[in-house]
Amino acid sequence: MENAELTTEQVLRRDIPWETYMTTKLITRTGFQLLRRYDKKAESYKAQLLDDDGPGYVRVFVTILRDIFKEETVEYVLALIDEMLTANPKRARLFHDNSFADEDTYEPFLRLLWKGNWFIQEKSCKILSLTVSARSKVQNGVDANGDASSSKKKHTTIDDVLAGVVEWLCAQLKKPTHPTHSIPSTINCLSTLLKEPVVRSSFVRADGVKLLVPLISPASTQQSIQLLYETCLCVWLLSYYEPAIEYLATSRALPRLIEVVKGSTKEKVVRVVILTLRNLLSKGTFSAQMVDLGVLQIVQSLKAQAWSDEDLLDALNQLEQGLKDNIKKLSSFDKYKQEVLLGHLDWSPMHKDPIFWRENINNFEENDFQILRVLITILDTSSDARTLAVACYDLSQFIQCHSAGRIIVNDLKAKERVMKLLNHENAEVTKNALLCIQRLFLGAKYASFLQV
């Protein structure tokens, strides 16, 4: 059987020659006695032994991994630890017992990340993730970096461990060791470790964000849904870290998250995506992008569904209110001017917002109708169909809303330019050019009956 396909249960069926290891002094007599008492026993009996002397068993396991290099034995001990932590993840605290103040409990696992086969690598990463996350920030004589202040011996610090694990995780995302197991195992570990600020920093510096974004895609099978959930969980954790947000802003993370939330029926997936969007709303240009991508409509649709999670309902309400507030800000004349002066127009909310036109129509008179003149120039100079369509529509809105709109637009010789666009190859352009001409000929009194 390939090592990559091994399971903990299969490995634990082996018989390991503990007595031979004792005879050759690779394990102590005390270690041998502990192992003989523990190995191959019932789960309930092993649980009692760990309750009585958990640190003693952890010491034996770590010592074997440090001193014995036979692959079958290394796999077996890793399987014992995996079994122990799977049954009760709180046992990871045993690795931080005060009796280990002068011992390096991390080094064997960190070394095995790179030396072993897939089973060994995957179990070492899982064990490291759980034990690092279970540590206290300050422990009798041991600081947050894992340095024993009373010991002169060089230990593997927490920073060493986290840097090593992040390096291995990024290597797996770039070039998976195992075709089907590497990515799910990597994302699972990341979803635990990214709670650590130092891991977020290391992950961003290692260009990890760009490796994560392609995994944000709609899922159908149970296995792929779990992977998607844990991937989105990673993005949510990164959304609390400013340098990571900069990377997310320059990637396709936002459109991908929106596609996921539109297509997902799993509450936990929807919840983590909505919480992420809420975090990003106030950052950089995310709010404008969300408005353009129709997130408000998606949120309102989600609110109409029956969700049981209070955090999700609160986040949906906050996101809805935040997007509405941003639409009001985006519908300012300064924003409109910026768009027109850049010469690239799109159907952003302000163009079809009656309140925007009603409140800002007199602002078009600034600088001798500068913005109106630029709009008309765009009709001559732009080759982009969307820009031409929006420019025609905006001219028709000016005619409609300004008391002297027809006269001003005629004086600026816009009619001839719009007329040319009636024969444009793009239907959106011809539709809006026709609307503009109709309003120009009919005047405000009758043009108000025209529908877009």
Side-chain angles (χ1 to χ4, degrees), residues 92-331:
R93 295 173 188 165
L94 295 172
F95 286 79
H96 305 288
D97 188 78
N98 291 338
S99 61
F100 294 125
D102 290 332
E103 296 185 41
D104 193 341
T105 55
Y106 294 126
E107 185 279 329
F109 303 101
L110 201 56
R111 171 173 46 81
L112 290 169
L113 271 183
W114 301 97
K115 302 286 185 184
N117 57 46
W118 171 249
F119 181 88
I120 290 173
Q121 290 181 22
E122 192 264 338
K123 296 304 176 194
S124 296
C125 185
K126 179 182 175 183
I127 293 163
L128 278 172
S129 299
L130 289 170
T131 54
V132 165
S133 299
R135 79 191 189 282
S136 297
K137 298 305 176 189
V138 177
Q139 248 175 284
N140 298 353
V142 182
D143 66 24
N145 285 331
D147 295 318
S149 57
S150 61
S151 172
K152 293 181 181 177
K153 186 179 176 182
K154 173 66 177 169
H155 282 193
T156 306
T157 68
I158 290 293
D159 284 352
D160 292 336
V161 174
L162 295 176
V165 173
V166 168
E167 184 185 357
W168 184 80
L169 292 171
C170 287
Q172 290 299 314
L173 289 174
K174 286 176 189 169
K175 192 176 179 182
T177 301
H178 189 275
T180 56
H181 298 334
S182 283
I183 299 298
S185 295
T186 297
I187 297 300
N188 180 261
C189 287
L190 272 173
S191 66
T192 298
L193 288 171
L194 282 169
K195 295 168 187 171
E196 303 266 352
V198 67
V199 173
R200 294 175 196 171
S201 173
S202 299
F203 189 66
V204 169
R205 283 201 309 272
D207 223 7
V209 178
K210 117 178 148 181
L211 302 172
L212 203 58
V213 170
L215 299 176
I216 308 169
S217 59
S220 53
T221 66
Q222 192 59 43
Q223 189 178 10
S224 61
I225 288 170
Q226 185 60 24
L227 175 60
L228 173 62
Y229 167 69
E230 290 177 353
T231 302
C232 292
L233 187 59
C234 291
V235 177
W236 173 66
L237 290 166
L238 288 166
S239 72
Y240 287 96
Y241 182 57
E242 288 295 334
I245 291 170
E246 292 172 19
Y247 273 78
L248 291 170
T250 57
S251 69
R252 283 193 47 78
L254 185 61
R256 284 177 172 273
L257 286 168
I258 292 167
E259 282 305 306
V260 165
V261 83
K262 278 166 65 178
S264 183
T265 55
K266 278 285 180 183
E267 186 165 322
K268 66 178 184 179
V269 175
V270 173
R271 177 181 183 272
V272 76
V273 172
I274 292 297
L275 290 173
T276 304
L277 295 180
R278 184 188 64 182
N279 283 358
L280 295 175
L281 183 64
S282 62
K283 308 294 183 183
T285 61
F286 277 110
S287 60
Q289 291 180 56
M290 286 186 206
V291 171
D292 289 343
L293 291 167
V295 174
L296 179 59
Q297 291 79 7
I298 295 167
V299 167
Q300 289 170 337
S301 173
L302 288 171
K303 280 186 68 179
Q305 299 177 38
W307 304 106
S308 59
D309 190 299
E310 289 292 331
D311 287 343
L312 172 55
L313 294 170
D314 287 346
L316 284 169
N317 286 330
Q318 290 170 24
L319 195 52
E320 180 184 37
Q321 190 56 52
L323 287 167
K324 284 180 176 176
D325 290 346
N326 276 299
I327 285 174
K328 288 176 186 174
K329 291 176 190 173
L330 289 170
S331 296

Side-chain angles (χ1 to χ4, degrees), residues 18-59:
W18 300 125
E19 195 163 359
T20 303
Y21 284 131
M22 183 188 69
T23 305
T24 55
K25 299 192 182 320
L26 285 169
I27 58 175
T28 63
R29 179 169 292 277
T30 303
F32 170 68
Q33 289 170 343
L34 285 170
L35 285 164
R36 190 167 62 176
R37 200 178 302 152
Y38 185 92
D39 197 15
K40 308 293 184 189
K41 298 300 189 292
E43 178 68 35
S44 58
Y45 183 72
K46 287 193 278 194
Q48 187 59 55
L49 292 175
L50 291 168
D51 287 343
D52 293 342
D53 187 19
Y57 284 96
V58 167
R59 179 174 283 102

